[in-house]
């Protein structure tokens, strides 16, 4: 009797046990499935932007074109199909290449975004007669989808077919470089001080608490800091790479400090004592022995911190880095924009062709960020040492 | 010459001087050390000379630029440049004369290094101070204009006519701008709550799976995989929420026969929740991992099932750490900006319905600061008022969470 009762209770408990495990598994699967869904969604949205419709057209470099009536450069029937943004560059091109004046040239030129969207099978506001023309040209092989090099070689534009990420990439490089040269030395120095020299007193505990707190403060607050201190007080130009780089450096600093401290802490004391024992000073033992051993760990943390800074948008919006920047900035004081901010501005554009480019920009950003993170993990695995 | 040029010339002048100083100092020490043994290595005398050159030069440059920034006295930049380089050279000459075998160069440079390290560590304090002060001053100005209680308890947010006040045309008989922040904070809390409803169960159960069920190998793969979620930029999540999840929510709602706004609070909430999963799961996993194995084994030895052991023994033991992970998650959700900016809408809306669009603190901050308003208009300043409240909220959450996790560490390590 008793036996049966307990066995049914046990069965119930075992079932509860099984259910619990299923919940846990479901949670992990949910997160992983989200990842898969997320990436496949972005891929399907972004890959069409890697292709761009091009039309084979006869370009006539005439006086009229040089005077600014650039639409006259091509045959009237093709005009509605060709990107106006591209045609607009012709007078300037002629100014740079005067020897071409009066000549004719058969070229593959960028098609308008309406043609592009129509060819990709998306909704397009292309007129019916033009659609027929496109179909005819396509069967003749005079219109095609080619790899979109312009996406990488051109700057931002108000016309989606000639908009590219180049100026944003250059801006990102500037900002990231500045973040690196400000945040890495200070972060590593702070970590060395806290881990190797600091006495255990209130002031040091305050610094530690403060760094941990800074790591969790919303990034937008750093934007407010940058706006009030760097731009309004120190007069750093708004929208400049310098303002963005300084702001992001302060944001990245706690990440670098925390990871560098962990790396220093992992070095056993016998290394320090051995160096001190043969007469090295404290700094000599750190510089010649502890730091080289901790370097892989410090680099791992720094790369992760920089990757985080590279994807950050909110503080940069606050310091004005969402301006329309068609040309790459020439220096750290020029107005610049960064890739995430470019993604943000494109995402706000109503035209469908921009949504495609936004997703393509995202794919580029994610590819860079994921490879940075993979590099960090690889470094950690390769240099990891058990003492 | 622009400021950038000045700084460039300064550095370009200092670097060769420093190189020369190192050379001179080392040679001086070597020649002095031929008869008597040196206290330090010759190179350390070289560094001593470099420091005596560059520190005075830097001090002069920094003091002079602070003077001109504060507006007390504005020396011409070229004068600062020449003065600081001259003072540096003076320091170099003095240091070369001071070099003799008894000089404890190593001790001196180590002392300077320690001070430099301390200075770097102090920068983090300055950052916090900078954030607090920059927000505080503008916020005080805002509360002069609006009134702290009106801001905290008002339920109407209509800043549209604020620009008139900024332009000095306050008395033109239009409706006064209203800055009642209740609907904004309600929106923030609603989206935070949705995010935590996703992140907390998923993150916690995933952490339990990783630390209690998965093999070390599987855990080694799962943890980085989940951390990918934390490495995705928020602007990407925002785009995803706006363009994929929002329409999905609208379709689902329509399928169930409910109306949903195109920009609803649910979509950014869910996506934000997914973003926070790794914060909760990684931290909880660490905490669960540090619960002593003896506790599990003694519980299992009494005949409990694995789930019972986890629920009644491991989780209570790890509770402080899990709570602090959750608090950190909430603090992240409150301060998250891009997802809500791109997917949550701009309209302050006091409602319980997550299918309506609502706005959050961070959205209003971004909106107020990207407009073309004068910096001292109430609308721009309102960003700092909101920022102050946001800062106080997240700092309290962070500090509680940090102290809880610290106490937990002391208990088990």
């Amino acid at each position: 009797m008793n036996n049966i009762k307990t066995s049914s209770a046990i069965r119930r408990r075992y079932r509860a046990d099984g259910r619990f495990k299923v919940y846990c598994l479901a949670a992990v699967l949910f997160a992983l499935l989200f990842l898969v869904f997320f990436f496949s969604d972005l891929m399907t949205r972004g890959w069409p932007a890697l292709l761009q419709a091009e039309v084979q057209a006869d370009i006539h470099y005439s006086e009229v074109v040089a005077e600014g009536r650039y639409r006259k450069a091509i045959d009237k029937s093709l005009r509605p199909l060709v990107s106006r943004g591209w045609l607009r560059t012709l007078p300037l091109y002629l100014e740079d290449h005067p020897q071409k004046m009066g000549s004719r040239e058969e070229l593959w030129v960028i098609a308008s975004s309406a043609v592009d969207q129509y060819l990709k099978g998306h909704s397009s506001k292309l007129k019916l007669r033009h659609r027929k023309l496109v179909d005819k040209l396509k069967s003749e092989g005079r219109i095609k989808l080619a790899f979109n090099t312009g996406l990488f070689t051109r700057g931002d534009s108000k016309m989606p077919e000639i908009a590219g990420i180049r100026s944003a990439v250059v801006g990102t490089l500037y900002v990231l470089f500045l973040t690196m040269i400000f945040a890495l030395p200070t972060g590593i120095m702070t970590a060395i001080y806290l881990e190797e020299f600091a006495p255990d007193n209130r002031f040091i505990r305050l610094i530690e608490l403060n760094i941990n707190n800074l790591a969790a403060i919303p990034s937008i607050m750093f934007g407010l800091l940058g706006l009030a201190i760097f731009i309004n007080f120190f007069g750093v130009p708004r929208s400049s790479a310098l303002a963005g780089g300084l702001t992001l450096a302060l944001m990245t600093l706690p990440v670098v400090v925390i990871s560098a401290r962990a790396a220093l802490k992992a070095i056993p004391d016998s290394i320090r004592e051995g160096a001190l024992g043969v007469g090295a000073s404290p700094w000599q033992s750190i510089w010649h022995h502890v730091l080289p051993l901790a370097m892989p760990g410090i680099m791992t943390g720094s790369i992760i911190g920089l990757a985080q800074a590279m994807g950050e948008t909110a503080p940069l919006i606050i310091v004005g880095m969402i301006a329309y920047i068609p040309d790459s900035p020439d220096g750290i004081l020029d107005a610049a924009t960064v890739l995430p901010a470019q993604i943000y501005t494109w995402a706000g554009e109503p035209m469908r062709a921009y949504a495609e480019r936004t997703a393509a920009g995202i794919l580029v950003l994610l590819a860079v960020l994921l490879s940075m993170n993979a590099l960090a993990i690889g470094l950690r695995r390769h240099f990891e040492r058990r003492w | 010459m622009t400021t950038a040029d000045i700084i460039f010339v300064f550095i370009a002048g200092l670097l060769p001087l420093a190189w020369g100083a190192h050379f001179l100092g080392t040679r001086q020490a070597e020649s002095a050390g031929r008869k008597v043994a040196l206290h330090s290595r010759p190179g350390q005398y070289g560094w001593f000379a470099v420091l005596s050159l560059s520190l005075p030069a830097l001090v002069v440059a920094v003091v002079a630029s602070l003077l001109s920034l504060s507006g007390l006295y504005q020396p011409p930049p070229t004068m600062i440049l020449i003065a600081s380089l001259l003072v540096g050279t003076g320091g170099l000459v003095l240091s070369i004369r001071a070099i003799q075998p008894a000089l404890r160069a190593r001790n001196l440079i180590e002392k300077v290094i320690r001070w430099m390290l301390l200075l770097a560590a102090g920068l983090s304090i300055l950052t916090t101070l900078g954030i607090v002060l920059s927000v505080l001053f503008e916020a005080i100005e805002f509360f002069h204009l609006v009134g702290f209680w009106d801001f905290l308890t008002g339920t109407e947010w209509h800043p549209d006519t604020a620009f008139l006040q900024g332009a000095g045309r306050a008395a033109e008989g239009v409706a006064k701008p209203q800055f009642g922040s209740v609907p904004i904070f309600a929106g923030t809390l609603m989206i935070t709550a949705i995010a935590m409803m996703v992140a907390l169960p998923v993150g916690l159960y995933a952490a339990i799976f990783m630390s209690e069920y998965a093999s070390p190998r599987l855990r080694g793969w799962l943890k980085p995989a989940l951390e990918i979620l934390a490495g995705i930029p928020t602007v990407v999540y925002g785009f995803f929420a706006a363009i994929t999840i929002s329409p999905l929510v609208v379709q689902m709602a329509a399928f169930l026969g409910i109306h949903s706004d195109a920009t609803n609070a649910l979509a950014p909430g869910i996506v934000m929740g997914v973003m926070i999963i790794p914060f909760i799961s990684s931290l909880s996993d660490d905490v669960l991992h540090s619960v002593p194995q003896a506790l599990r084994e003694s519980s299992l030895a009494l005949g409990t099932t694995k789930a019972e052991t986890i629920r009644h023994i491991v989780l209570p033991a790890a509770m402080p750490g899990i709570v602090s992970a959750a608090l950190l998650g909430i603090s992240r959700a409150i301060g998250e900006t891009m997802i809500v900016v791109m997917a949550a809408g701009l309209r302050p809306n006091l409602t319980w319905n997550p299918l309506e669009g609502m706005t959050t603190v961070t959205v209003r901050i971004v909106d107020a600061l990207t407009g073309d308003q004068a910096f001292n208009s109430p609308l721009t300043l309102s960003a700092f008022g909101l920022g102050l409240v946001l800062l106080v909220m997240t700092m309290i959450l962070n500090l509680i969470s940090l102290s809880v996790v610290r106490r937990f560490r002391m208990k088990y390590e």
Side-chain angles (χ1 to χ4, degrees):
Chain A
M1 218 23 221
N2 197 16
N3 208 4
I4 295 166
K5 209 174 157 193
T6 47
S7 72
S8 81
I10 280 185
R11 237 182 285 137
R12 208 177 57 236
R13 284 173 56 202
Y14 278 4
R15 273 204 302 276
D17 189 50
R19 272 203 305 277
F20 190 79
K21 191 172 178 183
V22 169
Y23 295 153
C24 294
L25 199 60
V28 173
L29 284 182
F30 172 81
L32 293 181
L33 280 180
F34 182 92
L35 257 185
V36 172
F37 175 53
F38 175 81
F39 279 107
S40 53
D41 183 67
L42 284 176
M43 297 263 192
T44 45
R45 279 179 202 284
W47 79 263
L50 293 180
L51 296 175
Q52 170 73 49
E54 290 181 0
V55 190
Q56 197 173 32
D58 193 31
I59 308 292
H60 180 50
Y61 300 105
S62 60
E63 295 282 345
V64 199
V65 173
E67 279 160 17
R69 290 163 69 192
Y70 44 81
R71 283 169 67 80
K72 298 263 185 219
I74 50 170
D75 189 59
K76 203 173 173 187
S77 65
L78 282 178
R79 261 177 228 166
L81 306 186
V82 171
S83 160
R84 283 190 63 167
W86 183 81
L87 285 174
R88 199 183 281 168
T89 60
L90 282 180
L92 257 179
Y93 177 79
L94 267 182
E95 220 168 86
D96 293 343
H97 302 84
Q99 73 278 10
K100 292 232 171 166
M101 181 64 80
S103 68
R104 280 176 176 277
E105 202 174 3
E106 188 89 339
L107 276 184
W108 283 98
V109 302
I110 295 172
S112 71
S113 77
V115 173
D116 184 54
Q117 293 298 307
Y118 172 67
L119 272 181
K120 287 173 185 167
H122 302 148
S123 64
S124 158
K125 41 179 196 186
L126 200 63
K127 286 183 190 120
L128 192 63
R129 60 193 165 93
H130 294 146
R131 285 180 190 221
K132 284 190 180 139
L133 180 61
V134 169
D135 290 338
K136 186 172 148 267
L137 286 174
K138 195 182 171 193
S139 60
E140 287 169 8
R142 292 184 55 203
I143 200 162
K144 65 171 182 186
L145 283 172
F147 181 72
N148 190 358
T149 45
L151 182 66
F152 302 98
T153 56
R154 284 175 219 271
D156 194 9
S157 166
K158 290 292 175 200
M159 292 181 190
E161 69 271 13
I162 56 164
I165 56 173
R166 185 196 158 133
S167 51
V169 168
V170 173
T172 299
L173 290 179
Y174 273 120
V175 170
L176 213 59
F177 174 72
L178 288 169
T179 307
M180 198 169 78
I181 60 168
F182 289 122
L184 290 200
T186 5
I188 297 173
M189 280 164 77
T190 307
I192 293 177
Y193 185 77
L194 291 178
E195 208 49 52
E196 307 286 337
F197 288 109
D200 187 25
N201 61 26
R202 272 195 170 181
F203 178 63
I204 300 303
R205 275 205 295 274
L206 179 72
I207 293 187
E208 289 179 350
L209 181 69
N210 177 44
I211 287 172
N212 288 328
N213 177 43
L214 270 183
I217 276 185
S219 59
I220 191 171
M221 301 311 295
F222 289 92
L224 293 181
L225 167 87
L227 180 63
I229 306 275
F230 295 138
I231 295 180
N232 284 350
F233 185 73
F234 283 113
V236 176
R238 209 174 137 84
S239 304
S240 66
L242 183 61
L246 284 170
T247 309
L248 285 188
L250 291 184
M251 204 193 78
T252 317
L253 192 61
V255 184
V256 176
V257 174
I258 291 171
S259 58
R261 281 192 73 179
L264 287 170
K265 200 177 260 168
I267 308 297
D269 272 342
S270 54
I271 303 279
R272 298 180 182 89
E273 283 152 10
L276 294 177
V278 295
S281 66
W283 178 251
Q284 282 173 323
S285 92
I286 292 167
W287 186 252
H288 294 297
H289 302 280
V290 178
L291 213 50
L293 289 172
M295 225 30 179
I298 294 176
M299 282 299 111
T300 307
S302 307
I303 293 172
I304 290 173
L306 285 179
Q308 207 176 318
M310 193 179 160
E312 197 55 68
T313 324
L316 297 181
I317 291 184
I318 302 291
V319 297
M321 295 193 73
I322 42 166
Y324 169 64
I325 314 283
D327 297 316
S328 311
D330 285 329
I332 57 171
L333 295 175
D334 272 7
T337 188
V338 292
L339 198 46
Q342 184 73 75
I343 289 169
Y344 171 65
T345 37
W346 278 356
E349 298 278 350
M351 286 165 83
R352 205 205 128 91
Y354 274 111
E356 188 177 292
R357 269 160 206 261
T358 313
I362 285 175
L363 289 182
V364 173
L365 181 66
L366 282 180
V368 175
L369 290 185
L370 288 182
S371 36
M372 277 171 88
N373 279 310
L375 176 71
I377 292 174
L379 266 180
R380 187 162 56 197
R381 290 236 167 115
H382 186 72
F383 287 103
E384 198 168 49
R385 232 168 128 165
R386 299 245 168 247
W387 299 93
Chain B
M1 272 205 287
T2 65
T3 327
D5 291 339
I6 300 276
I7 292 172
F8 178 74
V9 171
F10 179 68
I11 292 172
L14 208 54
L15 280 183
L17 273 177
W19 186 81
H22 188 270
F23 175 74
L24 283 177
T26 314
R27 212 187 53 179
Q28 180 78 8
E30 273 165 352
S31 68
R34 270 197 203 112
K35 293 168 204 127
V36 202
L38 289 169
H39 171 272
S40 313
R41 312 273 314 142
Q44 287 166 334
Y45 290 95
W47 280 108
F48 168 70
V50 171
L51 288 175
S52 351
L53 160 84
S54 49
L55 283 185
L58 276 176
V59 166
V60 169
V62 168
V63 167
S65 30
L66 280 183
L67 258 184
S68 58
L69 259 182
S70 65
L72 285 176
Y73 169 65
Q74 293 195 324
T78 7
M79 200 176 96
I80 303 179
L81 189 74
I82 293 167
S84 75
L85 289 183
L86 271 182
V87 169
T89 322
L92 173 62
V93 171
L94 285 182
S95 73
I96 295 293
R97 282 195 178 174
I99 289 177
Q100 40 180 288
L103 182 78
R104 302 183 170 199
R106 185 170 89 167
N107 304 29
L108 286 171
I109 59 176
E110 299 242 330
K111 206 176 265 175
V112 173
I113 288 173
R114 266 185 84 145
W115 275 103
M116 274 159 53
L117 295 180
L118 181 62
L119 215 65
L123 189 71
S124 73
I125 298 262
L126 280 185
T127 309
T128 310
L129 261 179
I131 291 181
V132 171
L133 290 184
S134 62
V135 175
L136 198 64
F137 277 122
E138 313 291 349
I140 287 174
E141 206 170 317
F142 172 68
F143 292 131
H144 270 303
L145 293 172
V146 174
F148 191 60
W149 278 116
D150 295 343
F151 173 74
L152 268 195
T153 58
T155 56
E156 297 289 325
W157 181 277
H158 295 299
D160 317 331
T161 50
F163 72 96
L164 289 176
Q165 211 166 327
R169 286 160 55 195
E172 282 193 7
V174 286
K176 240 184 114 186
Q178 284 175 301
F179 290 96
S181 64
V182 170
I184 296 177
F185 284 104
T188 306
L189 294 182
M190 169 66 94
I191 292 182
T192 304
I194 297 171
M196 291 318 286
M197 275 192 274
V198 175
L200 207 52
V202 177
L204 188 54
Y205 275 117
I208 294 175
F209 183 82
M210 286 192 291
S211 78
E212 306 291 325
Y213 289 108
S215 64
R217 234 187 100 130
L218 186 59
R219 181 170 182 261
W221 280 106
L222 272 182
K223 218 173 170 178
L226 284 190
E227 274 162 11
I228 292 179
L229 283 174
I232 294 170
T234 52
V235 66
V236 178
Y237 277 123
F239 178 73
F240 183 69
I243 212 155
T244 305
I245 302 291
S246 280
L248 218 60
V249 167
V250 174
Q251 278 170 24
M252 292 275 234
F255 181 70
L256 296 171
I258 321 167
H259 169 77
S260 167
D261 290 357
T263 51
N264 47 60
L266 198 56
I270 293 172
V271 173
M272 199 190 281
V274 173
M275 182 194 84
I276 295 170
I277 289 173
F279 291 98
I280 307 244
S281 70
S282 277
L283 229 109
S284 305
D285 175 58
D286 289 344
V287 189
L288 289 172
H289 223 63
S290 62
V291 171
Q293 197 60 25
L295 281 181
R296 289 188 192 94
E297 281 156 8
S298 28
S299 164
L300 289 171
L302 289 174
T304 59
T305 62
K306 196 158 187 180
E308 284 162 348
T309 303
I310 293 167
R311 260 207 303 254
H312 300 299
I313 307 294
V314 180
L315 280 186
M319 201 36 92
I322 293 169
V323 168
S324 88
L327 289 180
L328 272 188
I330 294 176
S331 141
R332 268 224 181 235
I334 291 179
E336 173 44 47
T337 310
M338 293 320 293
I339 298 179
V340 281
V341 165
M342 293 169 84
L346 272 171
R347 185 168 61 103
N349 186 3
L350 195 56
T351 171
W352 286 106
N353 183 0
L355 293 176
E356 284 182 31
M358 34 184 102
T359 196
T360 72
V361 178
T362 45
V363 175
R364 298 308 319 193
I365 293 178
V366 168
D367 185 54
L369 291 177
T370 48
D372 45 6
Q373 297 242 338
F375 192 76
N376 56 0
S377 91
L379 179 59
T380 315
L381 290 176
S382 76
F384 290 90
L386 290 169
L388 181 66
V389 183
L390 179 67
L391 182 68
V392 170
M393 271 161 59
T394 50
M395 261 179 149
I396 291 175
L397 285 171
N398 295 346
L399 292 182
I400 296 176
S401 136
L402 286 173
S403 71
V404 169
V405 85
R406 193 189 163 108
R407 226 168 281 159
F408 172 82
R409 291 247 159 85
M410 282 201 274
K411 198 164 135 199
Y412 284 117
E413 278 166 17

